Amino acid sequence: MKVTAEKNERVANMTFASVYPHYVNRLEKNGRTKKELHQVIEWLTGFDEDTLQAQIEKKVTFETFFQEATIHPNAHLIKGVVCGYRIEEIEDEFELYRQCRYLDKLVDELAKGRKMEKILRQEKK
């Protein structure tokens, strides 16, 4: 599937706080913890527990959330299909949409029981 400007705009304007509880519920149903979710979010964005909580309380949009984040240098290693979109094929002009899909992919892997050391990608030496 192709990302459109409209789709990108819709995601940009969604608040992180509106999606966060869905992440937590999905993971807890699959035997994972909020702490593990926060570990994954911190790896991807650089947001520690307090910063993440502040983002939620301020009800920032995904656009602001990712603008304020420091995306992990290994995020480009996140590949695969999420919601019908192949992450590595999302065009550069839709960077925000790609970053949202990175987060979705990490949450998916966590929910499916993947080991944390596999989820938090490292460059192969």
Side-chain angles (χ1 to χ4, degrees):
M1 289 183 3
K2 289 288 247 184
V3 178
T4 63
E6 295 79 25
K7 187 89 164 160
N8 193 61
E9 187 69 22
R10 195 169 356 159
V11 168
N13 292 322
M14 288 173 48
T15 63
F16 177 77
S18 69
V19 177
Y20 175 78
H22 298 288
Y23 291 151
V24 173
N25 290 340
R26 178 166 185 224
L27 292 175
E28 288 178 345
K29 269 195 259 179
N30 287 289
R32 300 309 284 255
T33 65
K34 197 172 177 180
K35 183 177 181 191
E36 289 172 307
L37 172 61
H38 288 189
Q39 184 179 353
V40 164
I41 293 172
E42 184 170 354
W43 177 86
L44 179 64
T45 65
F47 294 146
D48 63 16
E49 193 90 22
D50 293 337
T51 309
L52 180 61
Q53 192 58 45
Q55 296 287 348
I56 293 167
E57 288 169 9
K58 288 191 293 186
K59 293 186 177 9
V60 298
T61 62
F62 271 101
E63 183 172 29
T64 302
F65 183 81
F66 282 109
Q67 280 175 348
E68 294 179 3
T70 304
I71 301 300
H72 195 282
N74 289 345
H76 70 279
L77 298 173
I78 302 169
K79 297 184 182 338
V81 177
V82 176
C83 301
Y85 294 92
R86 181 157 287 287
I87 295 172
E88 58 271 30
E89 292 176 3
I90 297 173
E91 297 165 19
D92 289 343
E93 69 181 292
F94 301 120
E95 181 68 20
L96 170 66
Y97 195 83
R98 183 185 311 129
Q99 291 169 340
C100 289
R101 292 297 169 218
Y102 282 162
L103 181 56
D104 290 343
K105 183 69 175 172
L106 296 177
V107 170
D108 279 354
E109 291 176 353
L110 197 55
K112 290 177 181 169
R114 197 162 192 219
K115 290 184 181 341
M116 193 62 80
E117 56 269 15
K118 296 275 189 194
I119 296 170
L120 309 181
R121 274 103 169 138
Q122 299 294 320
E123 290 279 3
K124 293 211 171 35
K125 295 187 171 94

